[in-house]
Amino acid sequence: MNNFRNTLLISANELKNANTLISGNVDDDVLSSTILTCQEVYLESITGTALYHKLQQLVFNQITNVQGKINDPANESYKTLLDECIKPFLKARCTVDVLYNIAFKIRNNGVVKSNDTNIQNVDIDDIKYLEKQYSTYVDEYSQRLSKYLCYNKELFPELTADIPSYFDQPTMGKDYANTGLWLGKKKNRTCGC
């Protein structure tokens, strides 16, 4: 039913072959985990839940070879969105996020820094410099993606879909719990939520 929910919109190999700092020997599992996190945390907040899930479904259908594929002529606008806006955004965003994932590991004995006898590790300041540099790319691609969606909103009915989004940010007020979480209208609650 929702088998598509873990579908990656860009593959680990695409990240390795793209114009990024990511080497071909970076573990696919690390990259795949980073991609999924970047999609769920950053991309979905731009596209909204409905459009994000639509793209995942189309890519999933392509992978599993069922009707309604991303490469179908009827889905040309989604394919263009994916190739021209989303993939460049994800390449930059994943490059930023993977910097720390590949430099440090959490082990039983604490946080350790990756090391190899033939390679010298950079210090944290160098990693922060790379993060800052790629964050400027992320910002630019994020703006391009947002503008593209605004200028082409008629192509993507999911943008106005009436479905719950994890990123809806209602205004704080008397109907919200003290924590900022929506728990429904306040009633005569004695517990403070």
Side-chain angles (χ1 to χ4, degrees), residues 20-73:
T20 64
L21 299 173
I22 301 170
S23 172
N25 66 353
V26 175
D27 185 3
D28 283 356
D29 289 341
V30 171
L31 289 178
S32 295
S33 173
T34 301
I35 293 166
L36 189 59
T37 300
C38 288
Q39 286 181 189
E40 291 176 346
V41 173
Y42 304 108
L43 178 65
E44 188 176 353
S45 69
I46 298 170
T47 63
T49 302
L51 181 55
Y52 172 63
H53 286 167
K54 172 73 174 190
L55 289 162
Q56 281 187 304
Q57 183 70 61
L58 293 171
V59 171
F60 179 80
N61 292 352
Q62 187 72 37
I63 293 167
T64 57
N65 199 26
V66 297
Q67 187 176 8
K69 302 172 188 152
I70 188 79
N71 289 333
D72 289 350

Side-chain angles (χ1 to χ4, degrees), residues 12 15-16 20-23 25-38 42 90-105 114 127 130-131 134 138:
L15 280 181
K16 292 178 188 181
T20 64
L21 299 173
I22 301 170
S23 172
N25 66 353
V26 175
D27 185 3
D28 283 356
D29 289 341
V30 171
L31 289 178
S32 295
S33 173
T34 301
I35 293 166
L36 189 59
T37 300
C38 288
Y42 304 108
L90 285 174
K91 287 175 188 176
R93 183 73 253 178
C94 289
T95 299
V96 170
D97 283 28
V98 82
L99 286 171
Y100 294 98
N101 293 345
I102 59 177
F104 302 99
K105 299 289 180 208
S114 299
I127 293 173
L130 289 172
E131 177 185 25
Y134 267 79
V138 170

Side-chain angles (χ1 to χ4, degrees), residues 47-192:
T47 63
T49 302
L51 181 55
Y52 172 63
H53 286 167
K54 172 73 174 190
L55 289 162
Q56 281 187 304
Q57 183 70 61
L58 293 171
V59 171
F60 179 80
N61 292 352
Q62 187 72 37
I63 293 167
T64 57
N65 199 26
V66 297
Q67 187 176 8
K69 302 172 188 152
I70 188 79
N71 289 333
D72 289 350
N75 294 319
E76 182 179 359
S77 58
Y78 296 99
K79 175 76 168 144
T80 300
L81 173 65
L82 180 65
D83 290 344
E84 294 181 11
C85 296
I86 290 175
K87 286 186 177 185
F89 169 77
L90 285 174
K91 287 175 188 176
R93 183 73 253 178
C94 289
T95 299
V96 170
D97 283 28
V98 82
L99 286 171
Y100 294 98
N101 293 345
I102 59 177
F104 302 99
K105 299 289 180 208
I106 299 173
R107 310 248 183 211
N108 287 341
N109 57 345
V111 177
V112 296
K113 186 165 60 169
S114 299
N115 197 355
D116 190 2
T117 56
N118 299 325
I119 299 173
Q120 181 180 356
N121 285 352
V122 297
D123 65 22
I124 192 71
D125 290 332
D126 294 328
I127 293 173
K128 287 181 180 179
Y129 172 78
L130 289 172
E131 177 185 25
K132 183 178 177 184
Q133 180 63 37
Y134 267 79
S135 289
T136 61
Y137 304 149
V138 170
D139 292 342
E140 177 60 31
Y141 288 126
S142 175
Q143 288 179 21
R144 286 183 190 180
L145 174 56
S146 295
K147 286 177 184 177
Y148 184 85
L149 290 173
C150 286
Y151 293 137
N152 296 287
K153 60 186 167 204
E154 69 282 350
L155 298 175
F156 308 105
E158 297 81 11
L159 290 173
T160 57
D162 190 22
I163 68 163
S165 173
Y166 303 119
F167 297 99
D168 289 341
Q169 296 182 3
T171 307
M172 288 294 294
K174 64 180 190 273
D175 293 333
Y176 291 85
N178 295 334
T179 62
L181 297 175
W182 171 254
L183 301 174
K185 291 251 184 214
K186 269 192 179 180
K187 296 182 182 168
N188 292 328
R189 292 191 208 134
T190 56
C191 66

